[in-house]
Amino acid sequence: MKVADGVAVLELPMKVMGFDTVIHPTVVWDDEDVVLIDTGLPGSLPYLTEGMDEAGVPLARVDKVVLTHQDLDHIGGLGGVLQAVPGPVEVIAHEDEAPYIQGDRPLLRMSGDGRAAMPAPADEVQRREMLQLMEAAKNMEKVHVDTVVQGGEVLPYCGGITVVHTPGHTRGHICLYLDRTKVLVCGDELEVRDGSLAGPRPGLSADDPMARRSIAELVPYDVDTAICYHGGLWRDDTNQRIQELAQEGGLR
């Protein structure tokens, strides 16, 4: 779905913990560059290809991938993208996420105490799906992060993409503000939930209070459209809603 000139949100089906849902990577492009923001789960390549074809931007044109954070539903499709694209692709992520994305450390939610930040399986079906996700994470192809960011940088692509560090969901979680179109790509910092723009879902962040406090980092930006990985688009008084969430500490 086209969101603005040179911006489209993709819709990828995802089944996890027994529930069917949709996740929303973003593609940003101009005549020179095509930037894919997040890549879905392992096996997402056919859906990414179809969605980008519908947007009129072939996957083969991708020359940059920005990852908002390390969770498997955001990075799992990266290996497939890198194999499918014929030319070089620059992979960009926050410096704190790079070791996990590269396989130097196990993904937070797939190991140790990190699994506490995921819902406990309710039945045997959910338990099997959890085990399948853990196996996919262990077997995921290692990739190199070419460019690490800290927050505050303006990536010089497609009219400028400002990196906003919003720690809490993970330590190196980032949002991306598209300077030219006033679109905010939120990752998991915000989501559309129960008919409203909401803060990070309680119980799913490494540090819930920090994730809620990080909403304040978004207030300085003039946002027309928020793209939430979970929930899709929000366009109703977006600046005011972000300010309200920041004042509430993201509680909802």
Side-chain angles (χ1 to χ4, degrees):
M1 176 193 307
K2 190 171 182 179
V3 175
D5 185 30
V7 183
V9 61
L10 309 180
E11 298 182 347
L12 275 60
M14 182 176 78
K15 185 171 185 177
V16 63
M17 301 298 289
F19 296 98
D20 292 311
T21 186
V22 176
I23 51 179
H24 300 86
T26 300
V27 59
V28 187
W29 73 93
D30 59 16
D31 291 339
E32 296 182 0
D33 297 296
V34 175
V35 182
L36 178 63
I37 303 174
D38 289 332
T39 64
L41 284 165
S44 291
L45 183 62
Y47 303 110
L48 287 168
T49 301
E50 180 181 2
M52 292 189 66
D53 284 345
E54 291 176 355
V57 191
L59 181 75
R61 281 196 59 202
V62 170
D63 58 356
K64 280 93 180 170
V65 172
V66 183
L67 301 168
T68 60
H69 62 294
Q70 62 177 276
D71 283 351
L72 190 62
D73 58 331
H74 293 254
I75 72 168
L78 178 59
V81 170
L82 297 182
Q83 290 180 7
V85 174
V89 177
E90 178 186 7
V91 178
I92 304 167
H94 192 276
E95 62 181 1
D96 290 334
E97 302 296 282
Y100 301 93
I101 295 166
Q102 294 178 153
D104 301 326
R105 297 179 185 174
L107 298 180
L108 179 65
R109 303 207 208 291
M110 295 291 113
S111 63
D113 292 340
R115 287 199 295 273
M118 297 182 68
D123 53 33
E124 181 61 21
V125 172
Q126 290 190 8
R127 190 187 73 83
R128 286 199 303 268
E129 289 182 357
M130 175 72 77
L131 292 175
Q132 289 171 357
L133 286 175
M134 293 174 66
E135 190 67 19
K138 286 193 299 183
N139 294 329
M140 198 167 56
E141 179 184 354
K142 292 184 179 181
V143 299
H144 178 65
V145 175
D146 302 293
T147 302
V148 295
V149 295
Q150 296 178 326
E153 299 92 340
V154 179
L155 304 176
Y157 313 125
C158 305
I161 300 174
T162 299
V163 179
V164 187
H165 184 209
T166 50
H169 185 70
T170 62
R171 183 174 176 180
H173 186 283
I174 58 174
C175 299
L176 290 310
Y177 180 71
L178 311 183
D179 300 357
R180 179 171 54 83
T181 55
K182 299 184 180 180
V183 171
L184 179 68
V185 182
C186 302
D188 285 357
E189 180 63 18
L190 301 177
E191 66 175 66
V192 179
R193 185 168 69 245
D194 298 329
S196 182
L197 186 64
R201 187 176 291 267
L204 294 184
S205 292
D207 186 328
D208 270 345
M210 180 181 289
R212 295 194 296 268
R213 290 194 300 270
S214 286
I215 298 173
E217 301 298 324
L218 306 176
V219 170
Y221 299 91
D222 183 13
V223 181
D224 284 344
T225 301
I227 300 176
C228 302
Y229 205 68
H230 301 283
L233 300 182
W234 183 264
R235 287 171 159 158
D236 186 9
D237 293 327
T238 309
N239 287 323
Q240 179 180 338
R241 184 65 190 134
I242 290 173
Q243 290 174 4
E244 291 171 353
L245 289 168
Q247 290 168 0
E248 297 168 5
L251 290 170
R252 186 166 175 80

